[in-house]
Amino acid sequence: GDVGAGEQVFSGNCAACHAGGQNVIMPEKTLEKEALEEYLDGGFNEKSVMKQVTNGKNAMPAFGGRLSDDDIANVAAYVIKTSSAGW
Ligand code: HEM
């Protein structure tokens, strides 16, 4: 995925709830590496982020159909890279 393009997708679609890798709705379910390892279905990898972004989960909306597959792959690459670096 294209991390730079993914950063733009994140700013426009994710930052309202996940600015700085946090979570304004469910505070423990951050995008920090330790939280993703604990809570993200499928674990800490781009494929698992793509799956959750596509399908949504509970109060998180589904982006499949609203974002292209490329946008979803790019934002997943951005999330995993930035989370690895500690936001
Ligand atoms: C959880 C990514 C947009 C609300 C998550 C998680 C990821 C993620 C990776 C798992 C975090 C964890 O389990 O620790 C994204 C991306 C987005 C996006 C990449 C944009 C494409 C949003 C938006 C909202 C939101 C706009 C609020 C309207 C939530 C909530 C959870 C969550 C409530 C917890 C879901 C649960 O486990 O019940 N998000 N998110 N997300 N996100 Fe998002």
Side-chain angles (χ1 to χ4, degrees), residues 9-83:
V9 175
F10 191 89
S11 299
N13 297 276
C14 319
C17 295
H18 294 299
Q22 299 307 298
N23 189 326
V24 299
I25 296 182
M26 293 190 71
E28 73 278 17
K29 294 202 169 174
T30 72
L31 309 187
E32 305 280 1
K33 187 167 193 243
E34 295 70 22
L36 296 180
E37 286 171 347
E38 185 168 354
Y39 300 119
L40 180 61
D41 294 329
F44 184 77
N45 58 70
E46 291 180 24
K47 199 173 169 187
S48 298
V49 176
M50 288 176 66
K51 210 171 154 196
Q52 178 149 338
V53 170
T54 301
N55 299 324
K57 184 178 177 184
N58 300 317
M60 174 165 155
F63 288 87
R66 293 172 55 192
L67 292 176
S68 70
D69 290 348
D70 277 358
D71 282 343
I72 291 172
N74 292 341
V75 80
Y78 171 75
V79 166
I80 291 297
K81 187 177 182 211
T82 311
S83 187

